[in-house]
Amino acid sequence: MTQRRPIVAANWKMHKTHLESIQAVQKLSYLLDKEDSERVEIVIVPPFTALRSVQTLLESDKLPYGLGAQNVHPEDQGAFTGEISAVMLEALKVRYVIVGHSERRQLFGEVDQFVNKKVRAVIARGMLPIVCVGETLEERDADGTTSKVTQQVRRAFDNVEAEKAATAVIAYEPIWAIGTGRTAEPGDAGRVIEVIRDAIASKYDASVAQAVRIQYGGSVKPGNIRGFMAHPEIDGALVGGASLDAEDLALIIKH
């Protein structure tokens, strides 16, 4: 099996001002050592208003963390009030962009085709997408998990070249576990991640499927991260609420 470096991304969502973001990253840097950042790729994903501040801090203090953005608009520029383009994110040296998060799909009506446009926009500017997929509780109870996540994966990577797809990150985040305190069991999450990897293999080939890193996201906490990371198919975590506390985030990274 291909050895993939785990990746932990801290998605702060609509939390933290730019000053609070600076303080959180500084505190995290005190809690982690060189071995932690060598073993695990760490990505900080603050709100848009804090991107520049965090970028400056990462560069000035030479912190070994990647910078991520929570969303992107697929067009490079235009009359899209309130939106941010991949060109703008690239200029801030953003490395990763979360695309298709369940909250964007549920609260803002983003459909698979729009998610695909975002994936391609991110890749076109040399950044890497963290593509989120996952099922609702109703879909899960109706045994629709496999068909749902397979469809989301295949549509997200439409017209994406194999070599670019191989560098992407996919986050399996069951919608029923986001912010609810409920989590999938590591075995269940691992099985769905196998489905996701199979979907990539069928769209491209086995080598691309083995290269793609697939995270678990859904009420990840210091108390349950070890179980998820013990599963050979799970390559890290997309962490929401628990990432707001630097001590909790450090424990998750150290797992």
Side-chain angles (χ1 to χ4, degrees), residues 11-189:
N11 177 20
W12 290 346
K13 306 187 181 183
M14 199 174 73
H15 296 281
K16 297 190 186 298
T17 65
H18 72 290
L19 293 176
E20 292 168 337
S21 297
I22 290 171
Q23 292 168 350
V25 174
Q26 287 175 327
K27 185 174 182 180
L28 182 68
S29 71
Y30 300 144
L31 297 169
L32 299 177
D33 55 34
K34 183 179 179 182
E35 289 183 0
D36 295 321
S37 57
E38 289 177 345
R39 182 176 52 83
V40 177
E41 183 172 3
I42 302 163
V43 182
I44 307 298
V45 193
F48 283 136
T49 53
L51 279 174
R52 175 60 172 165
S53 299
V54 173
Q55 178 223 344
T56 301
L57 175 63
L58 296 181
E59 291 187 352
S60 64
D61 288 10
K62 296 181 171 57
L63 299 178
Y65 314 145
L67 182 63
Q70 297 180 18
N71 189 30
V72 68
H73 192 278
E75 297 296 329
D76 284 349
Q77 60 183 9
F80 303 103
T81 300
E83 293 295 313
I84 302 293
S85 74
V87 175
M88 297 170 182
L89 297 178
E90 179 192 21
L92 287 175
K93 301 181 181 178
V94 166
R95 176 67 171 159
Y96 288 95
V97 183
I98 297 175
V99 178
H101 192 281
S102 62
E103 290 160 359
R104 298 297 314 175
R105 295 178 189 261
Q106 287 189 294
L107 300 177
F108 301 97
E110 294 188 3
V111 297
D112 290 338
Q113 292 80 0
F114 193 54
V115 171
N116 171 246
K117 289 181 179 180
K118 293 185 175 191
V119 170
R120 289 187 282 128
V122 168
I123 290 172
R125 304 310 304 187
M127 297 176 291
L128 303 176
I130 298 177
V131 183
C132 299
V133 300
E135 81 283 20
T136 64
L137 183 60
E138 292 74 19
E139 289 164 337
R140 174 183 169 85
D141 289 343
D143 295 324
T145 297
T146 295
S147 60
K148 175 64 176 291
V149 298
T150 298
Q151 174 179 284
Q152 287 180 318
V153 169
R154 294 188 64 84
R155 288 180 175 175
F157 287 92
D158 275 348
N159 299 309
V160 175
E161 296 176 359
E163 64 180 27
K164 300 297 185 182
T167 65
V169 176
I170 299 174
Y172 168 53
E173 41 159 36
I175 294 171
W176 50 269
I178 305 300
T180 63
R182 298 180 58 181
T183 58
E185 292 296 321
D188 290 337

